[in-house]
Every structure is written in structure tokens, then in C-alpha cells.
Amino acid sequence: MSITIGVDVGGSHISSAAVNSEDFVIIPGTYFSGSVDSKASKEVIIKKWAEIINQTIQIVQKTYSLTETIGIAFSMPGPFQYETGIAMFKGNDKYESLYNVSISEELTKYISAKNVSFRFLNDASCFGVGGSLKPESVLYSKVIAITLGTGFGAAFLDNKLPLTQGDTIPHNGCLWDKPFKEGIADNYFSTRWFSNQYENSTGNKLTDGVKEIAGIENSETARIFDDFACNLTEFLAPCIVKFDADLLIIGGNIAKSNHLFLSKLQQNLKNKNIDISISIIENTEQTSILGSSYLYNESFWERIKAELPYF
């Protein structure tokens, strides 16, 4: 069995699991997750990352006799130099102690396995790749994947390959920073938009984000989700048409409340004569882990190296 360790790094957590590289399924018992203080020192952060990854490695080494180098693949937020493995976190209030640090060099000091190699890809891209690998997605070639949570992530994929340049996709293949209404897209398709709308409508502050709004289900919250669906339609429609996408994959914590906005989104797109399938993925972390593991598919790696963003 060929095994890859997939790792998902978030703003406040890290998750790790071993993936069977033959059928791209997470091996039972190898998934571990832990919280991380993104404002901690370099040593504290790296040691915490290694601690979680080592738990996965130890289970794999106990169960399987691995003689070859273990590939460790990261779903990593930006800014990051994905080809060199150097973190560029600065001015974004997370992991700033890792600025200009080689993650490969630092992690090697604490990883329990002797022979390891590292590869890195943007977290939104990994989610898109992972979503494209799912059985229900194999019939689609042009895919837009978005994550809706504390921020707005996006990836444009052609036959599983995330694209960062070209006439049919936005600059860098990103959507969060693109203009929309009175600001940028990230202001409208993230948790803080829901919080702001709810507070403006009711005068009350949320303590549990979108999950709290979804649990209320009254006319005010229904209107907020309808407005969200209308905004998302207005923003995504030109992207879908230009890219000629045939599948939209939606993940992130907000996707867990899809029963409150999905039908409206589908109807709005239909009204614009846009025919696209929509797939909701609620286990975003595991999907990103699967996507990261695909970096050790050598033919895929050769194709994607030219697309790795340098930021």
C-alpha cells in the first residue's frame, strides 16, 4: 500500500491523517487534530504541528512496514511560497513568527520519522482537489470550489488541476480580494457578514457565528440567508459562465447551513440560465487532507508545479 500523510493547517488548528494513495481514502485510526495558538513563537507552533503529525506517523509505522520515504503534504493558507516551502505570513494576524521560515527545515527537527519529504499547496486549492477526487465528482472536468467560513476561499480546477492564471479565471485564481458591491468579496461571503447582518437587523450580537443564526430560523434569519444566496449568485454567475464550469463545490462551516440557502442559490442560477451541478461538502478538513495527499501523485505534481503561486 502506498501511503501519504495529509495535513490541513488552519488559523487555529492542525489536522493530520494517513491517506491510501491508491483509492484516496483516509486510513481509519490515523486522523488527529489539535488546536494551535497562531500567535505563539516559532518553536511552539512547529512543535505543535509536529506533535499532531507524529501521532499519525506512529499509527502508520505500527500498522504498516514502510521502507520508503514518507511523503507529507500540506494544505497551507497563504501567503506562502508553495514551491520552496517558506512561510510568508506577515500582516495577517496569524503565524507571523513563521515569517520567512522554511517549514520543511524546521519540521524535520521534530518529526519522528527519519526519511520524510514535504510538499505544499494552497488550502483552497487542496479542498478543490479533494472535492474533485470524490466519486460523485469524477464526471465533471471544470470545477469551481469555494470555502465559506471565517474567510472566502476559492479554486478553479480543470481536470483536478488548480489554475492560477489564464483568461477564463480571476487573477491568481482567487476570489476573496475581488471587488463586490461596496467592498471585496471576503466581506460578503464570510462569517463576519452574517454577524454584521444579524446585529444590524436585531441589535443582538452573536456568540456562535452562523451556526447560531441557522438555529434560530425565523423571518429575520431567513431573509439574511436569502440575501446571502442572492449575493453569492450575483458574484459567482460571471465566474461560472467565463470558466464554463460544470460543477460548483461548496465547503467551509457556512456550508453546514446549506439547507437555508442552497435551494435559493440553485433557483437564482437557473433564472440566469446557468446549468451547473452543486456539491456540498461538510467535512472540509478531511477533504483538504485528501486533496493535499494528491501532491504525491507524480504526474499531477509535474503538472501543478508550474501553477504553484509564489506569494
Side-chain angles (χ1 to χ4, degrees):
M1 179 188 295
S2 179
I3 294 173
T4 300
I5 307 297
V7 180
D8 179 56
V9 174
S12 59
H13 81 280
I14 181 170
S15 302
S16 172
V19 178
N20 181 341
S21 302
E22 295 168 7
D23 57 8
F24 294 100
V25 172
I26 290 178
I27 298 172
T30 66
Y31 177 85
F32 295 92
S33 184
S35 59
V36 182
D37 179 4
S38 65
K39 299 183 186 300
S41 67
K42 177 183 73 173
E43 287 75 17
V44 168
I45 293 171
I46 293 294
K47 284 182 179 179
K48 183 62 180 182
W49 287 3
E51 174 192 323
I52 299 299
I53 296 167
N54 283 339
Q55 291 181 69
T56 297
I57 290 175
Q58 286 161 12
I59 295 296
V60 169
Q61 289 179 327
K62 283 181 183 178
T63 310
Y64 307 94
S65 55
L66 300 180
T67 57
E68 54 192 39
T69 298
I70 298 175
I72 303 177
F74 282 80
S75 166
M76 183 74 75
F80 197 90
Q81 294 180 4
Y82 293 96
E83 187 169 4
T84 62
I86 296 175
M88 301 302 293
F89 304 118
K90 191 176 183 180
N92 57 350
D93 205 35
K94 65 181 179 184
Y95 299 126
E96 292 187 299
S97 63
L98 301 181
Y99 179 74
N100 211 27
V101 168
S102 170
I103 301 303
S104 303
E105 290 181 10
E106 292 299 320
L107 265 177
T108 300
K109 301 174 185 177
Y110 304 105
I111 293 295
S112 58
K114 297 298 183 184
N115 298 316
V116 294
S117 65
F118 301 91
R119 290 177 182 175
F120 304 87
L121 185 61
N122 174 266
D123 51 356
S125 296
C126 283
F127 172 73
V129 173
S132 297
L133 287 169
K134 290 183 175 294
E136 61 268 27
S137 302
V138 296
L139 297 178
Y140 303 96
S141 59
K142 303 288 284 296
V143 176
I144 298 176
I146 61 173
T147 51
L148 305 167
T150 54
F152 179 37
F156 291 73
L157 303 103
D158 189 352
N159 290 313
K160 302 183 184 65
L161 181 69
L163 304 177
T164 58
Q165 51 194 328
D167 295 336
T168 63
I169 61 171
H171 179 64
N172 279 334
C174 297
L175 290 176
W176 70 271
D177 56 346
K178 302 306 182 284
F180 184 65
K181 290 195 169 182
E182 299 174 7
I184 59 173
D186 203 61
N187 296 337
Y188 291 84
F189 308 116
S190 58
T191 301
R192 66 181 177 280
W193 180 86
F194 280 91
S195 298
N196 291 337
Q197 293 296 304
Y198 185 75
E199 185 175 349
N200 291 340
S201 296
T202 67
N204 299 320
K205 288 185 178 292
L206 293 173
T207 58
D208 199 16
V210 177
K211 180 181 178 182
E212 185 176 345
I213 301 177
I216 297 171
E217 293 198 35
N218 59 23
S219 59
E220 284 294 333
T221 60
R223 182 190 59 77
I224 291 172
F225 277 100
D226 279 354
D227 287 349
F228 175 75
C230 290
N231 285 338
L232 193 58
T233 304
E234 183 181 343
F235 181 75
L236 284 181
C239 302
I240 293 170
V241 172
K242 192 170 186 179
F243 189 57
D244 194 24
D246 48 17
L247 176 64
L248 173 64
I249 297 176
I250 302 176
N253 283 332
I254 296 173
K256 296 175 182 177
S257 302
N258 70 86
H259 62 287
L260 297 173
F261 69 84
L262 180 57
S263 61
K264 181 77 170 180
L265 175 63
Q266 290 172 320
Q267 186 59 53
N268 288 348
L269 290 171
K270 186 177 180 181
N271 291 344
K272 289 180 174 289
N273 296 316
I274 294 175
D275 182 20
I276 188 169
S277 296
I278 300 178
S279 174
I280 301 292
I281 294 179
E282 296 189 8
N283 57 340
T284 303
E285 286 179 30
Q286 292 92 327
T287 301
S288 295
I289 285 172
L290 291 175
S292 70
S293 75
Y294 202 56
L295 292 173
Y296 280 91
N297 176 300
E298 294 304 326
S299 61
F300 177 77
W301 179 244
E302 286 303 313
R303 292 170 61 212
I304 201 173
K305 279 195 295 187
E307 294 285 343
L308 290 175
Y310 189 80
F311 62 89

